[in-house]
Each structure stands twice: as structure tokens, then as C-alpha cells.
């Protein structure tokens, strides 16, 4: 994995960040805060909490066992059980046996759950207008820089 041009490697990171690094960190924080705020608003438009929306979004991609959901959401399995219970009561999620191991229960989005998850994604307006103001090469550069920062291989 390469480093961003001008970024220090972990071995050479100065003890005191430079002004540019501080500004970038502050801007990333502002982006994250704005994203979370809009995500919560979009979830509320669909009568969901943020946690319910995140879980439903994950399950719209693939059925998952409770333990894996808890890992992905970075919370306790008992919390996931409560969230799944509430989504199941609304007909958005169902529990089913894992075909590979019938002792394991998978949580899976129902057709209605997948429809709501699509609506949630479509209602997330964050960054669409600002990103549309960037050229394709600028968006590619931004995407690639974010991937490198997160250690995501090109794919």
C-alpha cells in the first residue's frame, strides 16, 4: 500500500501535526458529522432510528448472523437482537436458518425491507451537490485518496 504524496509514514510521523494535517483532520471531522446528521434525518423520514437504518442497509446487501451484525455495527449482540426484533415487527426483517448451519439464525431483509433500504439510500443527499461540482478526475482522486487512507485495495 502506498502513501499519499506528502504524507508521513507511521515511522516518520512528527510528534506535532503540521497545519495542513490539522486542517485536513478538521475537515474530515466536519464531513463525518454532516454525514451522520443527514443519515439520522434520512432514517427518521423512514420512521427508523440510525441504528435500525444501518442494520437494515447491511441486511439489504446479504443475510447475516447476529454475531456478524454486532461486529459490523460495533455493538453487543443483545443490542442487535433488540434492533432486529423491532424491524421484524415492522415486516422489514425476518429470521431464517443458515443453510450452511441450521443451528445459526440469519437476519435477512424482506422485500419491503429492501425497498425501505433503497429509499433510505436515495434520500441521502449529503455531498451529492458538492461532489457534482467536482470534475471526474477530481472525484477519482478523492476516492483513491480516501481508499488509501482506509487501507482499501483498488478493486
Amino acid at each position: 500500500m502506498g502513501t499519499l504524496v506528502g504524507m508521513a509514514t507511521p515511522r516518520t510521523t512528527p510528534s506535532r501535526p503540521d497545519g495542513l494535517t490539522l486542517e485536513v483532520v478538521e475537515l474530515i471531522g466536519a464531513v463525518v458529522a454532516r454525514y451522520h446528521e443527514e443519515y439520522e434525518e434520512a432514517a427518521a423520514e423512514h420512521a427508523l432510528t440510525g441504528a435500525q437504518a444501518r442494520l437494515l442497509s447491511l441486511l439489504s446487501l446479504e443475510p447475516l448472523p447476529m454475531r456478524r451484525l454486532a461486529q459490523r455495527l460495533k455493538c453487543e449482540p443483545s443490542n442487535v437482537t433488540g434492533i432486529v426484533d423491532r424491524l421484524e415487527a415492522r415486516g422489514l426483517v425476518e429470521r431464517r436458518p443458515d443453510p450452511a448451519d441450521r443451528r445459526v439464525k440469519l437476519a435477512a431483509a424482506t422485500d419491503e425491507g429492501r425497498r425501505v433500504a433503497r429509499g433510505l439510500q436515495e434520500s441521502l443527499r449529503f455531498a451529492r451537490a458538492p461532489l457534482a461540482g467536482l470534475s471526474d478526475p477530481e472525484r477519482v482522486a478523492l476516492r483513491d485518496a480516501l481508499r488509501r487512507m482506509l487501507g482499501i485495495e483498488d478493486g
Side-chain angles (χ1 to χ4, degrees):
M1 177 177 85
T3 58
L4 292 175
V5 175
M7 278 188 63
T9 63
R11 288 187 307 271
T12 62
T13 301
S15 59
R16 184 168 297 155
D18 62 274
L20 178 58
T21 298
L22 290 173
E23 183 180 4
V24 169
V25 168
E26 190 173 309
L27 290 168
I28 290 171
V31 167
V32 169
R34 193 176 297 175
Y35 175 82
H36 282 294
E37 183 180 310
E38 182 158 323
Y39 197 89
E40 293 291 330
E41 289 172 7
E45 288 175 16
H46 295 274
L48 298 169
T49 65
Q52 290 171 338
R54 285 186 292 280
L55 188 142
L56 186 58
S57 292
L58 285 172
L59 293 180
S60 71
L61 302 173
E62 64 178 327
L64 292 167
M66 301 292 210
R67 189 168 305 282
R68 179 99 40 80
L69 277 170
Q71 289 168 343
R72 296 233 181 124
L73 294 173
K74 297 182 182 9
C75 67
E76 293 297 318
S78 60
N79 292 343
V80 169
T81 299
I83 296 168
V84 169
D85 287 345
R86 288 184 284 284
L87 291 173
E88 190 173 37
R90 288 186 53 189
L92 302 176
V93 167
E94 64 186 7
R95 288 176 170 94
R96 57 172 84 138
D98 184 341
D101 183 349
R102 296 190 60 78
R103 296 169 295 173
V104 175
K105 290 286 188 198
L106 298 176
T110 62
D111 289 341
E112 177 66 7
R114 284 187 292 281
R115 186 192 67 72
V116 169
R118 272 191 309 277
L120 176 66
Q121 288 297 337
E122 290 168 3
S123 65
L124 284 173
R125 294 168 295 282
F126 175 74
R128 284 188 189 162
L131 285 173
L134 299 177
S135 67
D136 284 347
E138 288 171 323
R139 285 186 293 159
V140 168
L142 177 59
R143 180 204 60 202
D144 292 349
L146 292 170
R147 283 181 174 171
R148 283 194 303 273
M149 287 178 69
L150 295 170
I152 299 171
E153 297 295 322
D154 289 336

